[in-house]
């Protein structure tokens, strides 16, 4: 009996970039290579073309496209990945010339997001972003998308398949927006409940693969997937963390970022990213061992600014410092905390920095409360963080962390 192998063939990919001088094409191409690996394909070749501006019809020009076609034929390439956003016409022309499936940077990132999404909200956000991306590209499908429907009652002048698909996608997008609105309303209710209960939130943001999930796991035993891959985790995770001062904060792990993040994703994931915007404290985690650390920090800073986080305390966290042979951090990043989330180095300094940046609505105080007002002590036990309690001749000595409401009641009993 002949045995047939059932192993899945790894997709062989060629990466294509056009260097116009508008950005660091070499660094962007290196990041694209990591994205391709995260998607499960193997980058075999990279092709770079230097142009003042991309060609309208083929993006790289007919001569370079012929070279790419020859590589695809000789090496049996399965996929072309362009480090840009291609138009429908460009995709059609490139595929016709090379006879190879072609995608762009946005399509690749959307595919990775679809692979990683686990929660209902994450899946809805990814599908909405994919449909927004697909809608203007239906015309690029050519004849296959413009024929009439078949069967009795559909012959003659009628709705083309292109129009049918557009209508179907529009309906689906409206359904997704409606479902997302419900999820966002639920998220908003949880946020308001946290505010009402005086819960302090601390968001972990940063470039993808900077070690955010590893840090989250070390601090809270969250059990979040942590791998050396871009976008290893997508869905936000929340866990409680008790600081050395006794204050409990809610740590929120957010989606990672990349340079030139497609606007479809920023729009779709805005409600998730707003968790960072509305947090009391933000940890901006950066991979200090990366040659692109400064660029990564700028990408994160730009997004935080666009979300209106200017007044929120932002703690710069340089992770993976154990991989550095010598310290060489740019002076312009200001103050920072050095850590290694993998082995726990510098975590005490990080927790102290969070303590130092707690919002003013939470204060640590020492009180001497007379016995006649012992009910206030009971209220502190119930609604605040009680650090210590001691009965003395003058009354009850209490060390506690109080919110604004309790602080106003106990302010007159504060002692040094």
């Amino acid at each position: 009996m002949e045995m047939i192998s059932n192993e899945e063939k790894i997709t062989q990919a060629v990466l294509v970039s056009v260097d116009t001088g508008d950005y660091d094409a070499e660094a962007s191409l290196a990041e694209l290579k990591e994205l391709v690996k995260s998607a499960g394909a193997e980058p075999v070749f990279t092709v770079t073309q230097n142009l003042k501006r991309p060609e309208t019809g083929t993006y790289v020009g007919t001569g370079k496209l012929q070279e790419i076609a020859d590589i695809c034929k000789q090496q049996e390439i399965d996929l072309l990945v362009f480090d840009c956003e291609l138009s429908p016409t460009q995709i059609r022309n490139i595929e016709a010339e090379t006879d190879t499936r072609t995608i762009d940077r946005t399509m690749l990132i959307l595919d990775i997001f679809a692979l990683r999404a686990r929660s209902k909200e994450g899946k809805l956000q990814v599908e909405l972003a994919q449909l927004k991306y697909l809608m203007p590209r239906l015309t690029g499908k050519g004849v296959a998308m413009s024929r009439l429907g078949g069967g009795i009652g559909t012959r003659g002048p009628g709705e083309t398949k292109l129009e049918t698909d557009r209508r179907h996608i529009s309906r689906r997008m409206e359904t997704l927006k409606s479902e997302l609105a419900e999820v966002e309303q639920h998220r908003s209710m949880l946020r308001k409940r946290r505010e009402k209960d005086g819960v302090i939130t601390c968001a972990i943001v940063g470039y993808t693969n900077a070690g955010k999930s590893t840090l989250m796991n070390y601090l809270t035993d969250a059990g979040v997937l942590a791998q050396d891959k871009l976008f290893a985790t997508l869905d936000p995770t929340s866990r409680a963390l008790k600081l050395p001062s006794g204050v409990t904060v809610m740590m929120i792990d957010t989606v990672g970022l990349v340079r030139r993040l497609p606007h479809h994703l920023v729009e779709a994931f805005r409600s998730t990213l707003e968790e960072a915007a509305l947090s009391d404290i933000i940890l901006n985690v950066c991979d200090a061992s990366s040659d692109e650390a400064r660029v990564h920090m700028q990408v994160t800073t730009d997004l935080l600014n666009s979300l209106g986080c200017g007044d929120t305390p932002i703690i710069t966290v340089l992770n993976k410092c154990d991989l550095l042979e010598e310290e060489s951090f740019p002076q312009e990043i200001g103050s920072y905390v050095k850590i290694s989330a993998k082995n726990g180095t510098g975590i005490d300094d990080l927790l102290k920095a969070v303590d130092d940046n707690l919002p003013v609505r939470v204060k640590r105080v020492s009180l001497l409360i007379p016995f006649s007002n012992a009910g206030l002590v009971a209220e502190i036990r119930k609604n605040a963080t009680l650090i210590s309690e001691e009965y003395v001749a003058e009354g009850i000595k209490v060390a506690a962390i109080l919110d604004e409401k309790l602080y106003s009641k106990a302010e007159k009993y504060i002692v040094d």
Side-chain angles (χ1 to χ4, degrees), residues 96-377:
E97 181 66 29
T98 63
D99 194 28
T100 306
R101 186 164 62 92
T102 302
I103 64 173
D104 58 20
R105 184 185 181 90
T106 301
M107 202 182 305
L108 175 64
I109 294 176
L110 285 170
D111 185 76
I112 296 172
F113 271 50
L115 185 67
R116 302 282 191 262
R118 292 292 180 268
S119 69
K120 177 182 178 182
E121 183 180 19
K123 291 176 181 178
L124 290 174
Q125 289 169 326
V126 171
E127 185 179 353
L128 180 60
Q130 287 175 319
L131 292 178
K132 281 184 176 179
Y133 176 80
L134 177 62
M135 184 67 123
R137 287 167 171 75
L138 289 177
T139 53
K141 300 296 184 181
V143 178
M145 301 300 288
S146 60
R147 60 179 180 271
L148 295 175
I152 298 173
T154 64
R155 299 185 181 93
E159 192 172 44
T160 65
K161 190 172 188 302
L162 175 60
E163 291 166 342
T164 304
D165 288 340
R166 277 180 173 163
R167 187 161 48 84
H168 172 73
I169 289 177
S170 295
R171 281 202 308 265
R172 180 58 182 161
M173 286 173 64
E174 290 303 316
T175 302
L176 289 171
K177 288 176 182 177
S178 176
E179 292 183 24
L180 268 175
E182 293 180 9
V183 176
E184 289 170 12
Q185 184 179 13
H186 177 66
R187 182 187 290 277
S188 178
M189 290 173 62
L190 290 176
R191 193 181 296 129
K192 289 178 181 177
R193 179 60 184 269
R194 289 200 300 259
E195 292 175 0
K196 182 180 179 181
D197 294 343
V199 176
I200 302 168
T201 54
C202 181
I204 304 176
V205 303
Y207 216 75
T208 182
N209 208 30
K212 299 186 301 300
S213 296
T214 303
L215 176 60
M216 183 76 166
N217 288 337
Y218 190 92
L219 293 175
T220 66
D221 294 324
V224 180
L225 175 66
Q227 292 182 343
D228 187 18
K229 288 183 178 180
L230 303 188
F231 301 120
T233 53
L234 177 60
D235 301 311
T237 304
S238 302
R239 293 290 187 274
L241 170 67
K242 192 167 185 178
L243 298 173
S245 64
V247 175
T248 298
V249 298
M250 184 67 68
M251 303 295 296
I252 302 173
D253 186 16
T254 60
V255 63
L257 308 174
V258 292
R259 76 187 81 203
R260 295 159 59 215
L261 188 67
H263 67 275
H264 308 282
L265 288 177
V266 175
E267 291 175 7
F269 281 79
R270 193 165 191 87
S271 65
T272 303
L273 293 170
E274 281 176 352
E275 286 288 352
L278 299 174
S279 294
D280 298 296
I281 301 171
I282 295 174
L283 302 184
N284 183 359
V285 181
C286 176
D287 179 1
S289 65
S290 171
D291 295 334
E292 296 288 306
R294 191 179 307 184
V295 176
H296 294 176
M297 290 190 63
Q298 190 60 50
V299 169
T300 308
T301 302
D302 291 344
L303 180 70
L304 291 176
N305 290 336
S306 71
L307 292 172
C309 300
D311 297 329
T312 305
I314 299 177
I315 302 172
T316 301
V317 182
L318 299 179
N319 189 26
K320 306 185 184 180
C321 287
D322 55 314
L323 301 179
L324 292 176
E325 295 182 0
E326 58 181 73
E327 294 187 8
S328 56
F329 307 128
Q331 294 181 350
E332 59 267 25
I333 69 173
S335 60
Y336 53 82
V337 180
K338 298 185 300 179
I339 70 164
S340 170
K342 187 175 182 180
N343 58 35
T345 304
I347 295 298
D348 290 342
D349 294 335
L350 175 60
L351 295 179
K352 183 179 183 304
V354 175
D355 259 329
D356 293 342
N357 285 276
L358 289 174
V360 292
R361 68 171 184 266
V362 178
K363 295 186 178 181
R364 177 169 179 162
V365 293
S366 296
L367 308 170
L368 179 57
I369 302 173
F371 292 114
S372 60
N373 199 9
L376 179 58
V377 180

Side-chain angles (χ1 to χ4, degrees), residues 58 65 80 82 86 90-98 102:
T58 60
L65 188 60
L80 288 175
F82 280 70
L86 297 171
Q90 288 170 337
I91 292 177
R92 186 172 67 246
N93 292 342
I94 293 168
E95 289 185 341
E97 181 66 29
T98 63
T102 302

